[in-house]
């Protein structure tokens, strides 16, 4: 399995920092909505317009769009595309990759300047990259504590307790 798609548990303290960063990004850019996704499209956090009820589907579709644009980059012999911009009649979407694992998506209307979104998204991706690194370190430390021998022993004990 691709290690970038494995489950990483984000602690509540880090979720609070993520939510603060997204809220600041929405406010500073005048955007309608911000989503933080993992590469599979799972929503880690979101901020903005409370009327959006389609964020799960939106997250999956945005991850798919980003994955397909990365394949286009490969066909063009580019290393990758780290950002993507979708322009609509009423709303625009700016998507940025964070450390090969998370995707930051900003949804904004025609009144918001794309230059401002790009600059402030770069600042937010740097901040969120630091959060991701802390989460990875915590995950690594937990995995070291729950080494394979301990995990096997624990699984065997659970199997003994619940056997038929």
């Amino acid at each position: 399995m691709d290690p970038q798609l494995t489950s990483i548990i984000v602690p509540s303290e880090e979720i609070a920092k993520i939510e603060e960063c997204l809220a600041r990004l929405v406010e500073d850019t005048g955007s309608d909505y911000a989503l933080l996704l993992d590469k599979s499209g799972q929503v880690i956090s979101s901020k903005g317009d409370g009327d959006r009820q389609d964020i799960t589907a939106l997250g999956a579709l945005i991850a798919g769009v980003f994955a397909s644009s990365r394949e286009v980059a490969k066909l063009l012999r580019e290393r990758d595309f780290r950002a993507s911009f979708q322009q609509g009649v009423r709303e625009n979407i700016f998507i940025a990759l964070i450390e090969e694992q998370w995707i930051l998506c900003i949804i904004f209307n025609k009144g918001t300047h794309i230059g401002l979104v790009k600059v402030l998204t770069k600042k937010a991706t740097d901040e969120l990259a630091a959060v991701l690194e802390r989460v990875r370190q915590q995950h690594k430390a937990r995995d070291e504590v729950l080494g394979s021998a301990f995990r096997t022993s624990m699984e065997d004990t659970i199997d003994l307790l619940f056997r038929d």
Side-chain angles (χ1 to χ4, degrees):
M1 178 178 230
D2 182 354
Q4 297 297 325
L5 295 178
T6 58
S7 297
I8 291 182
I9 298 168
V10 182
S12 57
E13 311 84 55
E14 299 298 344
I15 289 289
K17 290 176 183 160
I18 290 168
E19 289 177 348
E20 179 183 312
C21 179
L22 294 181
R24 187 172 49 254
L25 182 61
V26 167
E27 183 179 335
D28 291 351
T29 60
S31 298
D32 298 325
Y33 214 74
L35 290 167
L36 182 64
L37 314 167
D38 68 9
K39 281 177 63 173
S40 68
Q42 293 291 316
V43 178
I44 296 169
S45 184
S46 62
K47 282 292 176 189
D49 182 10
D51 293 335
R52 284 205 187 269
Q53 297 175 0
D54 55 351
I55 63 168
T56 302
L58 190 60
L61 292 169
I62 288 169
V65 165
F66 200 78
S68 66
S69 72
R70 294 188 85 192
E71 291 304 312
V72 169
K74 287 179 186 175
L75 290 173
L76 297 174
R77 293 186 173 96
E78 285 287 332
R79 190 173 139 249
D80 63 11
F81 291 149
R82 302 198 59 79
S84 175
F85 175 59
Q86 304 285 321
Q87 186 173 7
V89 175
R90 289 184 309 269
E91 290 187 300
N92 302 318
I93 299 176
F94 185 74
I95 305 166
L97 184 64
I98 302 170
E99 296 290 320
E100 304 297 324
Q101 193 161 355
W102 286 351
I103 300 170
L104 177 59
C105 174
I106 311 302
I107 300 170
F108 56 99
N109 62 32
K110 296 291 184 188
T112 304
H113 193 275
I114 183 63
L116 178 65
V117 171
K118 285 182 178 181
V119 168
L120 293 178
T121 297
K122 172 63 175 129
K123 183 178 175 186
T125 58
D126 291 345
E127 187 176 331
L128 292 169
V131 171
L132 175 58
E133 185 56 34
R134 286 192 303 270
V135 169
R136 283 180 177 161
Q137 292 303 319
Q138 292 168 358
H139 182 73
K140 183 179 176 183
R142 188 181 69 241
D143 280 354
E144 288 172 0
V145 169
L146 295 175
S148 62
F150 177 74
R151 185 169 293 154
T152 302
S153 174
M154 184 175 62
E155 289 170 354
D156 290 344
T157 303
I158 291 171
D159 287 343
L160 285 172
L161 289 171
F162 295 104
R163 73 177 166 199
D164 292 330

